[in-house]
Tab-separated table of all heavy atoms in Angstrom:
chain	number	residue	atom	x	y	z
A	67	ASP	N	28.955	84.078	-12.985
A	67	ASP	CA	29.957	85.059	-12.561
A	67	ASP	C	31.229	84.957	-13.395
A	67	ASP	O	31.832	85.964	-13.760
A	67	ASP	CB	30.270	84.853	-11.080
A	67	ASP	CG	31.039	86.011	-10.493
A	67	ASP	OD1	30.825	87.162	-10.919
A	67	ASP	OD2	31.879	85.780	-9.593
A	68	ASN	N	31.657	83.741	-13.671
A	68	ASN	CA	32.827	83.475	-14.517
A	68	ASN	C	34.070	84.208	-14.009
A	68	ASN	O	34.746	84.916	-14.743
A	68	ASN	CB	32.538	83.855	-15.977
A	68	ASN	CG	33.538	83.239	-16.930
A	68	ASN	OD1	34.113	82.190	-16.653
A	68	ASN	ND2	33.759	83.894	-18.060
A	69	THR	N	34.360	84.049	-12.728
A	69	THR	CA	35.560	84.618	-12.126
A	69	THR	C	36.407	83.482	-11.569
A	69	THR	O	35.987	82.325	-11.523
A	69	THR	CB	35.190	85.593	-10.990
A	69	THR	OG1	34.429	84.894	-9.992
A	69	THR	CG2	34.363	86.757	-11.523
A	70	ASP	N	37.614	83.850	-11.138
A	70	ASP	CA	38.485	82.827	-10.553
A	70	ASP	C	37.837	82.193	-9.331
A	70	ASP	O	37.958	80.980	-9.104
A	70	ASP	CB	39.829	83.448	-10.160
A	70	ASP	CG	40.655	83.843	-11.369
A	70	ASP	OD1	40.386	83.305	-12.469
A	70	ASP	OD2	41.557	84.695	-11.223
A	71	LEU	N	37.119	83.008	-8.550
A	71	LEU	CA	36.491	82.490	-7.336
A	71	LEU	C	35.354	81.530	-7.663
A	71	LEU	O	35.251	80.443	-7.076
A	71	LEU	CB	35.962	83.652	-6.489
A	71	LEU	CG	35.304	83.282	-5.164
A	71	LEU	CD1	36.224	82.408	-4.330
A	71	LEU	CD2	34.905	84.527	-4.400
A	72	SER	N	34.503	81.906	-8.605
A	72	SER	CA	33.388	81.020	-8.963
A	72	SER	C	33.896	79.735	-9.603
A	72	SER	O	33.368	78.644	-9.345
A	72	SER	CB	32.418	81.744	-9.909
A	72	SER	OG	33.048	82.078	-11.135
A	73	ARG	N	34.933	79.836	-10.410
A	73	ARG	CA	35.499	78.634	-11.019
A	73	ARG	C	36.137	77.731	-9.961
A	73	ARG	O	36.102	76.504	-10.083
A	73	ARG	CB	36.520	79.019	-12.094
A	73	ARG	CG	35.888	79.570	-13.367
A	73	ARG	CD	36.924	79.692	-14.475
A	73	ARG	NE	37.829	80.794	-14.215
A	73	ARG	CZ	37.662	82.032	-14.653
A	73	ARG	NH1	36.588	82.338	-15.378
A	73	ARG	NH2	38.531	82.994	-14.383
A	74	ALA	N	36.710	78.338	-8.928
A	74	ALA	CA	37.304	77.538	-7.848
A	74	ALA	C	36.221	76.779	-7.080
A	74	ALA	O	36.428	75.629	-6.678
A	74	ALA	CB	38.087	78.443	-6.900
A	75	VAL	N	35.066	77.414	-6.879
A	75	VAL	CA	33.970	76.740	-6.181
A	75	VAL	C	33.489	75.543	-6.995
A	75	VAL	O	33.294	74.444	-6.464
A	75	VAL	CB	32.812	77.718	-5.927
A	75	VAL	CG1	31.606	76.984	-5.350
A	75	VAL	CG2	33.247	78.827	-4.974
A	76	ILE	N	33.293	75.732	-8.293
A	76	ILE	CA	32.814	74.650	-9.151
A	76	ILE	C	33.863	73.546	-9.253
A	76	ILE	O	33.539	72.351	-9.258
A	76	ILE	CB	32.450	75.197	-10.530
A	76	ILE	CG1	31.225	76.121	-10.413
A	76	ILE	CG2	32.152	74.065	-11.517
A	76	ILE	CD1	30.825	76.776	-11.699
A	77	ALA	N	35.136	73.941	-9.314
A	77	ALA	CA	36.200	72.929	-9.353
A	77	ALA	C	36.215	72.115	-8.069
A	77	ALA	O	36.455	70.898	-8.093
A	77	ALA	CB	37.549	73.602	-9.582
A	78	GLY	N	35.947	72.768	-6.943
A	78	GLY	CA	35.884	72.043	-5.679
A	78	GLY	C	34.747	71.040	-5.664
A	78	GLY	O	34.914	69.902	-5.210
A	79	LEU	N	33.591	71.450	-6.177
A	79	LEU	CA	32.465	70.516	-6.268
A	79	LEU	C	32.803	69.347	-7.191
A	79	LEU	O	32.479	68.195	-6.908
A	79	LEU	CB	31.219	71.246	-6.779
A	79	LEU	CG	30.502	72.177	-5.807
A	79	LEU	CD1	29.378	72.924	-6.530
A	79	LEU	CD2	29.937	71.406	-4.621
A	80	GLY	N	33.438	69.662	-8.309
A	80	GLY	CA	33.782	68.615	-9.264
A	80	GLY	C	34.797	67.620	-8.735
A	80	GLY	O	34.841	66.481	-9.203
A	81	SER	N	35.605	68.036	-7.765
A	81	SER	CA	36.610	67.133	-7.208
A	81	SER	C	36.024	66.178	-6.182
A	81	SER	O	36.704	65.245	-5.764
A	81	SER	CB	37.736	67.939	-6.551
A	81	SER	OG	37.256	68.661	-5.422
A	82	ASP	N	34.781	66.424	-5.772
A	82	ASP	CA	34.177	65.553	-4.768
A	82	ASP	C	33.791	64.231	-5.410
A	82	ASP	O	33.107	64.208	-6.435
A	82	ASP	CB	32.931	66.225	-4.175
A	82	ASP	CG	32.533	65.620	-2.844
A	82	ASP	OD1	32.165	64.423	-2.836
A	82	ASP	OD2	32.600	66.316	-1.833
A	83	PRO	N	34.210	63.102	-4.842
A	83	PRO	CA	33.934	61.800	-5.465
A	83	PRO	C	32.460	61.417	-5.474
A	83	PRO	O	32.072	60.503	-6.198
A	83	PRO	CB	34.743	60.816	-4.606
A	83	PRO	CG	34.927	61.508	-3.297
A	83	PRO	CD	35.015	62.964	-3.615
A	84	ALA	N	31.635	62.097	-4.691
A	84	ALA	CA	30.215	61.747	-4.635
A	84	ALA	C	29.386	62.482	-5.676
A	84	ALA	O	28.200	62.197	-5.827
A	84	ALA	CB	29.646	62.026	-3.242
A	85	LEU	N	30.005	63.428	-6.398
A	85	LEU	CA	29.256	64.252	-7.338
A	85	LEU	C	29.782	64.075	-8.758
A	85	LEU	O	30.973	63.842	-8.974
A	85	LEU	CB	29.350	65.739	-6.959
A	85	LEU	CG	28.882	66.136	-5.562
A	85	LEU	CD1	29.054	67.636	-5.364
A	85	LEU	CD2	27.438	65.724	-5.323
A	86	MET	N	28.869	64.200	-9.708
A	86	MET	CA	29.222	64.277	-11.122
A	86	MET	C	28.759	65.647	-11.604
A	86	MET	O	27.576	65.854	-11.880
A	86	MET	CB	28.554	63.159	-11.913
A	86	MET	CG	28.759	63.257	-13.427
A	86	MET	SD	30.504	63.182	-13.913
A	86	MET	CE	30.865	61.464	-13.521
A	87	VAL	N	29.698	66.589	-11.681
A	87	VAL	CA	29.376	67.981	-11.981
A	87	VAL	C	29.634	68.254	-13.460
A	87	VAL	O	30.719	67.978	-13.969
A	87	VAL	CB	30.212	68.933	-11.103
A	87	VAL	CG1	29.871	70.385	-11.415
A	87	VAL	CG2	29.971	68.640	-9.628
A	88	ARG	N	28.621	68.813	-14.114
A	88	ARG	CA	28.750	69.166	-15.532
A	88	ARG	C	28.361	70.627	-15.704
A	88	ARG	O	27.353	71.078	-15.140
A	88	ARG	CB	27.848	68.284	-16.401
A	88	ARG	CG	28.048	66.784	-16.193
A	88	ARG	CD	27.073	65.997	-17.054
A	88	ARG	NE	27.024	64.580	-16.684
A	88	ARG	CZ	27.839	63.658	-17.160
A	88	ARG	NH1	28.765	64.002	-18.036
A	88	ARG	NH2	27.732	62.399	-16.777
A	89	PRO	N	29.127	71.398	-16.493
A	89	PRO	CA	28.772	72.797	-16.721
A	89	PRO	C	27.511	72.902	-17.582
A	89	PRO	O	27.238	72.045	-18.420
A	89	PRO	CB	30.000	73.352	-17.452
A	89	PRO	CG	30.621	72.147	-18.109
A	89	PRO	CD	30.369	70.994	-17.180
A	90	ALA	N	26.758	73.974	-17.365
A	90	ALA	CA	25.515	74.162	-18.112
A	90	ALA	C	25.092	75.620	-18.035
A	90	ALA	O	25.553	76.373	-17.166
A	90	ALA	CB	24.400	73.263	-17.552
A	91	THR	N	24.233	76.013	-18.964
A	91	THR	CA	23.592	77.316	-18.867
A	91	THR	C	22.391	77.197	-17.932
A	91	THR	O	22.022	76.095	-17.511
A	91	THR	CB	23.138	77.801	-20.245
A	91	THR	OG1	22.127	76.899	-20.751
A	91	THR	CG2	24.307	77.822	-21.229
A	92	LEU	N	21.778	78.336	-17.632
A	92	LEU	CA	20.634	78.309	-16.719
A	92	LEU	C	19.493	77.483	-17.301
A	92	LEU	O	18.893	76.652	-16.600
A	92	LEU	CB	20.156	79.739	-16.446
A	92	LEU	CG	18.937	79.872	-15.528
A	92	LEU	CD1	19.202	79.232	-14.174
A	92	LEU	CD2	18.565	81.345	-15.363
A	93	ASP	N	19.200	77.674	-18.573
A	93	ASP	CA	18.115	76.909	-19.202
A	93	ASP	C	18.453	75.427	-19.274
A	93	ASP	O	17.585	74.570	-19.055
A	93	ASP	CB	17.829	77.448	-20.608
A	93	ASP	CG	17.210	78.836	-20.575
A	93	ASP	OD1	16.613	79.198	-19.530
A	93	ASP	OD2	17.317	79.561	-21.583
A	94	GLU	N	19.713	75.113	-19.580
A	94	GLU	CA	20.126	73.707	-19.646
A	94	GLU	C	20.038	73.044	-18.279
A	94	GLU	O	19.611	71.896	-18.157
A	94	GLU	CB	21.548	73.612	-20.198
A	94	GLU	CG	21.661	73.977	-21.668
A	94	GLU	CD	23.098	74.062	-22.136
A	94	GLU	OE1	24.003	74.067	-21.265
A	94	GLU	OE2	23.343	74.132	-23.355
A	95	GLY	N	20.449	73.783	-17.245
A	95	GLY	CA	20.383	73.227	-15.901
A	95	GLY	C	18.956	72.982	-15.452
A	95	GLY	O	18.628	71.933	-14.890
A	96	ARG	N	18.079	73.951	-15.708
A	96	ARG	CA	16.676	73.787	-15.327
A	96	ARG	C	16.039	72.635	-16.098
A	96	ARG	O	15.266	71.839	-15.537
A	96	ARG	CB	15.918	75.094	-15.596
A	96	ARG	CG	14.476	75.093	-15.077
A	96	ARG	CD	13.782	76.387	-15.459
A	96	ARG	NE	14.455	77.531	-14.900
A	96	ARG	CZ	14.230	78.008	-13.672
A	96	ARG	NH1	13.345	77.392	-12.889
A	96	ARG	NH2	14.866	79.061	-13.234
A	97	ASP	N	16.361	72.534	-17.374
A	97	ASP	CA	15.791	71.471	-18.194
A	97	ASP	C	16.289	70.103	-17.741
A	97	ASP	O	15.534	69.125	-17.737
A	97	ASP	CB	16.157	71.710	-19.663
A	97	ASP	CG	15.396	70.784	-20.605
A	97	ASP	OD1	14.155	70.811	-20.583
A	97	ASP	OD2	16.058	70.037	-21.345
A	98	ALA	N	17.567	70.013	-17.349
A	98	ALA	CA	18.129	68.736	-16.890
A	98	ALA	C	17.453	68.278	-15.600
A	98	ALA	O	17.169	67.091	-15.425
A	98	ALA	CB	19.631	68.871	-16.670
A	99	VAL	N	17.173	69.202	-14.691
A	99	VAL	CA	16.484	68.842	-13.453
A	99	VAL	C	15.038	68.458	-13.740
A	99	VAL	O	14.516	67.483	-13.189
A	99	VAL	CB	16.546	70.013	-12.445
A	99	VAL	CG1	15.717	69.697	-11.204
A	99	VAL	CG2	17.985	70.287	-12.045
A	100	ARG	N	14.387	69.185	-14.625
A	100	ARG	CA	12.992	68.905	-14.940
A	100	ARG	C	12.833	67.521	-15.574
A	100	ARG	O	11.857	66.812	-15.303
A	100	ARG	CB	12.441	69.983	-15.878
A	100	ARG	CG	10.980	69.752	-16.280
A	100	ARG	CD	10.453	70.840	-17.188
A	100	ARG	NE	10.356	72.110	-16.486
A	100	ARG	CZ	11.077	73.186	-16.761
A	100	ARG	NH1	11.990	73.137	-17.719
A	100	ARG	NH2	10.932	74.294	-16.077
A	101	LYS	N	13.792	67.125	-16.416
A	101	LYS	CA	13.701	65.842	-17.111
A	101	LYS	C	14.315	64.692	-16.316
A	101	LYS	O	14.340	63.559	-16.801
A	101	LYS	CB	14.390	65.943	-18.475
A	101	LYS	CG	13.663	66.874	-19.441
A	101	LYS	CD	14.360	66.911	-20.791
A	101	LYS	CE	13.604	67.792	-21.780
A	101	LYS	NZ	14.287	67.845	-23.106
A	102	GLY	N	14.816	64.971	-15.121
A	102	GLY	CA	15.380	63.912	-14.298
A	102	GLY	C	16.808	63.541	-14.650
A	102	GLY	O	17.333	62.555	-14.129
A	103	LYS	N	17.471	64.308	-15.508
A	103	LYS	CA	18.856	64.011	-15.861
A	103	LYS	C	19.829	64.474	-14.781
A	103	LYS	O	20.982	64.025	-14.755
A	103	LYS	CB	19.209	64.674	-17.202
A	103	LYS	CG	18.412	64.133	-18.380
A	103	LYS	CD	18.811	64.835	-19.667
A	103	LYS	CE	18.027	64.285	-20.857
A	103	LYS	NZ	18.406	64.967	-22.128
A	104	ALA	N	19.406	65.385	-13.937
A	104	ALA	CA	20.229	65.878	-12.840
A	104	ALA	C	19.352	66.053	-11.614
A	104	ALA	O	18.168	66.392	-11.725
A	104	ALA	CB	20.905	67.198	-13.203
A	105	ALA	N	19.941	65.808	-10.441
A	105	ALA	CA	19.182	65.967	-9.200
A	105	ALA	C	19.152	67.417	-8.756
A	105	ALA	O	18.153	67.895	-8.212
A	105	ALA	CB	19.789	65.095	-8.103
Side-chain angles (χ1 to χ4, degrees):
D67 193 33
N68 197 27
T69 59
D70 291 340
L71 181 53
S72 63
R73 287 190 287 268
V75 173
I76 293 177
L79 286 174
S81 65
D82 199 295
L85 303 180
M86 174 61 69
V87 180
R88 306 178 192 273
T91 64
L92 179 58
D93 291 337
E94 291 172 348
R96 187 183 300 274
D97 190 58
V99 175
R100 179 179 293 114
K101 293 182 177 180
K103 296 180 179 180

